[in-house]
Each structure stands twice: as C-alpha cells, then as structure tokens.
C-alpha cells in the first residue's frame, strides 16, 4: 500500500482521501507549511476557508494563510498587523520627505528664475 | 446568585464564564461581533492558547491585531491582510522612486545655480580687470612721451651749435 499522504493528513494522522482539500496545497515534502497554519488557524478553519473558495483561488489563499501564520509565529503579539503598521509608518515618512523636497525645489527655482531675468537685462 | 454577566466569548461558546476567564478582559459582552469574527477565523481554542502563551501586558495588543487580521480575512478570504501588505509595499516603492527623482532634480538645480553664480563672478572680475589695465597702460605711456621729447630737444641743440662755413669765410 503506497502511502502518499499530504502533509496535512500526515500531521493529522489520518488517511488522505483522493479529494483531500489540503493535498494540492500542502505537499508532503513541506510539513512545516501545514504545521504553521494548523497552529494558528486550525485545520478545520483552513479547510472551511478553502472549501468556500473557487478552486482557482485556493492556491493563493493557502499561500497567504501560510504567510500570515508564519508572521504570527514570528511575532505572537502583532503578526501581520505589525507589518501593516510599519509600512503605514514608512509611507507617512516617504510622503513627508517628498513634500519637503518638492517645496525645496519650488523655493530653489524662484531665485534662479529671478537671477536669469537679471542676467538677460545686463 | 447575581454573578457578573458572561463575556462575549463564553456567551458565544455557551459556557460558564469563570472568574479567571482568559477572554473576559478583551471580549466584553457589549461587543459580541469582536469575538465572533476571531472565533470564525482562528478558533476559540487557538486564541486561548495564543493568549496564554503571552505575558498579560501584551495580551491586549495581541487581541487587537488578531481582530484586525480576522476582519481582513473575512473581507477578503483569498488575501486577508496580506493584500494590504502588498498594496502598501507597492505604494512605498513608488514613493521612494519619486523621492529619488526629486532628490536628483534638486541636485541638478543646485549645480546649475552654482555654475550660473560662478559665471556671474567671472564676468564681474573681467569687467573690473579692463578698467585697471586701462589706467596702467595710460600711466606707462605718459612716462615714455616725456623722455622721448627730451631726446628730441637735445638733438636740435646740437645742430644749432654747428657754425655756418661760407658766411664767415667770404667776409674776410
């Protein structure tokens, strides 16, 4: 009997059916991937989320769930939400810097224009 | 028997809310939706484990971030809050590119202004140098004229000193 169970069914110690919802997205050669999502979301919730989606979207959903689970394991307090906060902060800083430089360009151009005018008059 | 009302978690899970209920401080009974959404995405058991693994002073922040992520996942079951991360990363990249362009622009403007200023200074120096040269030339030429006229006067005097030859001889 050839046991080619997916990582989920191996982890859950159950038989892997031919229509296993996890099998296409949690291959047996990457057991950590399922371990992460199971720890944070639970196998049942992951199964429900995948089941409720059209097949074409399930791969992407599995990837983002893995990423979110990994972030939460790395940072149990803030998880992915912490990354969103950091990016919002970076965005604010970049916007401020850009506005400052644009204002500096406007200010720098004005005396240059006046100098140009006076040189032409000479 | 008037005990405190059960927290939102225990109400949803239909169980007795213990005095040391791990959910009670963060899921008050007046906001049932908050627990409902995290339970739907993460599961009560997982939330309980996560909170118990954290020191008490960090649990409030953990609950807030879990609620944020659960809401994001409920709104977008495919991408969840990872969609927001992708979007923000691309916004930050775009802004950083615009920033680099603006910084290059201001360097160019400053270089051009420095060049214009240098040219202006050189022009001023050249104008000032012409005036000085003129006066130097004039001063030197006046001295040469004086010595030249003095030489001419000497030559004339010598020629007057020659006596005429025939006038004198014919009288005697």
């Amino acid at each position: 009997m050839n046991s080619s169970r997916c990582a989920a069914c191996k982890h859950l110690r159950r038989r892997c059916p031919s229509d296993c919802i996890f099998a296409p997205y949690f291959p047996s050669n990457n057991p950590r991937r399922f371990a992460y999502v199971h720890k944070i979301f639970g196998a049942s919730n992951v199964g429900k989320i995948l089941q409720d989606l059209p097949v074409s979207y399930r791969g992407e959903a599995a990837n983002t769930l893995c990423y979110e689970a990994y972030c939460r394991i790395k940072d149990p307090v803030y998880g992915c939400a912490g990354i969103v906060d950091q990016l919002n902060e970076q965005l604010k800083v970049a916007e401020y810097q850009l506005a400052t430089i644009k204002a500096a360009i406007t200010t720098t151009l004005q005396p240059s224009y006046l100098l140009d005018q006076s040189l032409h008059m000479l | 028997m008037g005990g405190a009302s059960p927290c939102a978690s225990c109400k949803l899970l239909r169980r007795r809310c213990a005095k040391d209920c791990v959910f009670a401080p963060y899921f008050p009974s007046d906001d049932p939706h908050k627990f409902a959404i995290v339970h739907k995405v993460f599961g009560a058991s997982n939330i309980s484990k996560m909170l118990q693994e954290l020191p008490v002073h960090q649990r409030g922040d953990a609950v807030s971030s879990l609620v944020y992520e659960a809401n994001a996942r409920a709104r977008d079951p495919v991408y969840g809050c990872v969609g927001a991360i992708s979007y923000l990363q691309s916004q930050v990249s775009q802004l950083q590119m615009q920033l680099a362009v603006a910084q290059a622009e201001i360097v160019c403007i400053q270089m051009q202004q420095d060049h214009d200023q240098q040219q202006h200074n050189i022009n001023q120096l050249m104008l000032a140098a012409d005036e000085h040269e003129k006066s130097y030339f004039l001063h030197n030429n006046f001295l040469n004229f004086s010595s030249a006229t003095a030489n001419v006067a000497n030559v004339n005097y010598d020629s007057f000193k020659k006596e005429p030859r025939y006038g004198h001889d014919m009288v005697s």
Side-chain angles (χ1 to χ4, degrees), chain A residues 8 12 14 20-22 25-26 34 37-38 41-53 58 65, chain B residues 40-41:
Chain A
L12 298 170
R14 67 182 199 189
C20 175
I21 187 78
F22 302 113
Y25 319 109
F26 300 98
F34 183 77
V37 295
H38 179 52
F41 295 99
S44 167
N45 288 334
V46 174
K48 274 189 225 160
I49 290 171
L50 293 178
Q51 203 78 55
D52 288 345
L53 287 169
R58 287 178 189 173
L65 285 165
Chain B
K40 184 174 158 67
V41 175

Side-chain angles (χ1 to χ4, degrees), chain A residues 96-110:
Chain A
Y96 174 76
Q97 285 176 341
L98 189 62
T100 306
I101 288 192
K102 280 186 171 174
I105 287 172
T106 309
T107 311
T108 311
L109 275 174
Q110 280 171 2

Side-chain angles (χ1 to χ4, degrees), chain B residues 103-155:
Chain B
Q103 281 167 339
E105 200 179 321
I106 206 167
V107 165
C108 283
I109 290 169
Q110 281 169 351
M111 281 173 61
Q112 185 60 43
Q113 283 192 334
D114 288 347
H115 175 263
D116 290 348
Q117 186 59 44
Q118 273 185 358
Q119 204 57 45
H120 178 70
N121 291 344
I122 288 168
N123 290 342
Q124 293 290 89
L125 277 170
M126 282 173 66
L127 283 171
D130 282 347
E131 291 300 322
H132 178 71
E133 277 178 1
K134 274 182 200 167
S135 70
Y136 179 76
F137 178 72
L138 284 172
H139 178 68
N140 280 352
N141 280 352
F142 175 74
L143 289 175
N144 290 338
F145 179 73
S146 304
S147 59
T149 50
N151 288 338
V152 166
N154 287 340
V155 167

Side-chain angles (χ1 to χ4, degrees), chain A residues 38-42 45 49 53 57 60-61 64-65 67-68 72 76-81 83-84 87-88 90-91 94-95 97-98 101-102 104-105 108-109 111-112 115 119 122, chain B residues 39-43 46 50 53-54 58 61-62 65-66 68-69 73 77-82 84-85 88-89 91-92 95-96 98-99 102-103 105-106 109-110 113 116-117 120:
Chain A
H38 179 52
K39 183 178 160 77
I40 300 302
F41 295 99
N45 288 334
I49 290 171
L53 287 169
Y57 289 110
E60 202 66 1
T64 59
L65 285 165
Y67 181 76
E68 233 179 281
R72 181 60 61 174
V77 181
Y78 298 106
C80 268
I83 298 174
V84 169
L87 286 169
N88 273 321
Q90 281 180 28
L91 203 61
E95 279 170 351
Q97 285 176 341
L98 189 62
I101 288 192
K102 280 186 171 174
I105 287 172
T108 311
L109 275 174
S112 168
L115 179 64
L119 283 173
L122 290 173
Chain B
H39 176 54
K40 184 174 158 67
V41 175
F42 296 101
N46 290 330
M50 281 191 249
E53 284 170 7
L54 288 171
Q58 287 184 323
D61 283 350
S65 64
L66 285 165
Y68 173 82
E69 282 182 36
R73 184 61 64 173
V78 180
Y79 295 102
C81 70
V82 178
I85 290 174
L88 287 170
Q89 278 175 341
Q91 291 291 100
V92 168
L95 270 178
Q96 283 173 343
Q98 287 177 28
L99 203 57
Q103 281 167 339
E105 200 179 321
I106 206 167
I109 290 169
Q110 281 169 351
Q113 283 192 334
D116 290 348
Q117 186 59 44
H120 178 70

Side-chain angles (χ1 to χ4, degrees), chain A residues 5-8 22-34:
Chain A
R5 291 182 294 171
C6 68
F22 302 113
Y25 319 109
F26 300 98
S28 56
N29 62 356
N30 194 351
R32 237 187 266 184
R33 212 168 119 91
F34 183 77

